[in-house]
Amino acid sequence: MTRTTPPRPYDLLALFPELAAHGRPAVRLHPRRGEPGVKDGSIGGPLLWPADEAWPTCGLEHEDLSDEPYAYVLAWRDYLDDRDRREGEGGLDWGVERRRADELEARFTAEDDGAPPPLIPLAQLYYRDVPHLPWADRYDLLQVLWCPRDHPDIETPYNPALQLRWRRTEQVGPVLADPPVPLVCNGNYVPRQCVLHPETVTEYPLTADLPADLAEAIRAWSEQIGDGTAYHWGTSSAPGMKTTGYGGTWGIIDPYPIRCECGERQLPLFTTATGEFDGGTTSWRPVEEAGTEWEFADPVDIVIGRGYTLQLYYCPASEDHPNRTEMF
């Protein structure tokens, strides 16, 4: 089923025709719960991973305050799904449910054994489904993995640490059937398995990245209509998981250019968001899901910081240059 972004509350190009020169395609991934296979694009699904290629691990330092057994995180989600189903079929005895939850927690114990933990899949993006990914002449598949723990010493501290793999699918050969999983994790960083419903939209930059006169005109218009979120939240930048585009509205720190060590300005590649939309961005809910209230607001079920966005950037000069991240 396709997912379609509703018309924006304001027609930016009618108001500011000069914005057209600054538009950039972004692909809203619209992840929804499902059972993807290795040949499907997915969030949190199995990867088309060569059987003869070592599965990546994380050798960085970890903060363990939020760690819990990985197997428990999966079992707890299964329990919640089953509880929701049973609640829909009739009333629940919450005393019984508390005992079930306590018994489930007591079944799982796991401690960090000190070995570099395996990464887990975050996203599998086939170029046939997700246009505008870089280096389409050389690759047709991008895989994004991360270590689902907090890392105090990375560039964007107390977040997962990411790794990428760019591939040509015809070169993969036999596929790894049973990838390793970590012993412990931060449950906020374990995505639910979702299939993708990609949709290309046009995004526009932050006013900080626009010519001064155009930025001032947009700010004056926002003041005139009495809506300070009309440009950034309402029209120029889509919420949720997406690729390329411009990204999002910076809310923790002031925006700044993300630059590679080579001096090139890096570009957004993959945006990991806490939920598909929230109370301030409900106008972005797909038209096919109108009237569903909050049912599809958070299908992936991951949390970045206190409900923020983590954006991964790439260097257009080379895929071999280090990727960078920022949280906002």
Side-chain angles (χ1 to χ4, degrees):
M1 178 180 176
T2 59
R3 299 298 191 278
T4 309
T5 298
R8 295 298 74 224
Y10 304 98
D11 187 343
L12 288 180
L13 296 187
L15 291 164
F16 311 102
E18 56 270 47
L19 261 180
H22 302 277
R24 184 185 290 172
V27 179
R28 300 188 70 192
L29 297 176
H30 296 304
R32 298 295 183 267
R33 303 275 174 86
E35 297 182 1
V38 296
K39 295 184 178 181
D40 300 316
S42 63
I43 298 295
L47 302 183
L48 188 79
W49 194 273
D52 59 356
E53 181 177 325
W55 188 263
T57 59
C58 180
L60 302 173
E61 181 182 351
H62 301 103
E63 170 62 71
D64 61 4
L65 292 180
S66 299
D67 284 351
E68 53 190 336
Y70 181 78
Y72 168 72
V73 170
L74 301 184
W76 175 249
R77 286 179 171 177
D78 289 342
Y79 163 73
L80 291 179
D81 290 344
D82 180 65
R83 190 184 72 183
D84 290 344
R85 178 189 58 78
R86 289 185 287 109
E87 185 176 16
E89 295 173 351
L92 295 178
D93 183 328
W94 290 103
V96 171
E97 295 308 317
R98 281 193 292 272
R99 288 195 297 273
R100 286 178 174 173
D102 291 342
E103 291 169 359
L104 180 63
E105 184 174 5
R107 282 172 45 199
F108 293 92
T109 57
E111 295 183 1
D112 184 2
D113 61 3
L119 274 59
I120 64 172
L122 176 59
Q124 177 157 268
L125 307 173
Y126 283 93
Y127 282 51
R128 65 173 186 260
D129 304 320
V130 182
H132 312 297
L133 291 172
W135 304 302
D137 58 329
R138 285 177 285 162
Y139 305 109
D140 62 2
L141 176 62
L142 171 61
Q143 296 168 328
V144 185
L145 305 93
W146 69 11
C147 176
R149 299 175 69 180
D150 284 311
H151 300 78
D153 297 328
I154 60 176
E155 180 181 29
T156 311
Y158 298 97
N159 271 296
L162 293 104
Q163 293 187 30
L164 302 183
R165 296 295 187 275
W166 307 86
R167 300 195 187 280
R168 294 292 304 180
T169 54
E170 72 268 17
Q171 298 174 356
V172 171
V175 177
L176 182 66
D178 190 19
V181 296
L183 292 175
V184 297
C185 66
N186 180 333
N188 286 335
Y189 304 148
V190 180
R192 296 262 196 165
Q193 287 199 8
C194 291
V195 296
L196 306 182
H197 304 84
E199 176 202 16
T200 301
V201 298
T202 300
E203 292 192 331
Y204 301 97
L206 298 168
T207 52
D209 284 331
L210 289 172
D213 57 345
L214 179 54
E216 181 55 36
I218 291 173
R219 284 191 287 267
W221 164 73
S222 298
E223 291 178 6
Q224 180 183 0
I225 65 174
D227 185 354
T229 66
Y231 178 72
H232 288 135
W233 285 15
T235 47
S236 68
S237 181
M241 284 198 165
K242 58 187 177 182
T243 60
T244 59
Y246 280 103
T249 303
W250 294 53
I252 307 173
I253 60 175
D254 291 334
Y256 68 95
I258 306 294
R259 294 205 176 275
C260 182
E261 296 172 353
C262 73
E264 191 82 17
R265 182 163 182 172
Q266 295 197 325
L267 302 174
L269 177 63
F270 183 80
T271 301
T272 303
T274 304
E276 285 292 281
F277 58 86
D278 58 22
T281 55
T282 54
S283 73
W284 292 90
R285 180 169 40 206
V287 296
E288 294 84 0
E289 296 170 353
T292 56
E293 297 299 328
W294 300 102
E295 181 179 352
F296 300 106
D298 191 14
V300 179
D301 201 15
I302 61 173
V303 180
I304 300 297
R306 297 180 179 179
Y308 301 133
T309 293
L310 183 67
Q311 192 162 60
L312 175 70
Y313 296 79
Y314 76 100
C315 177
S318 173
E319 69 272 38
D320 295 324
H321 290 188
N323 301 102
R324 299 188 63 184
T325 58
E326 188 54 82
M327 182 175 67
F328 50 78

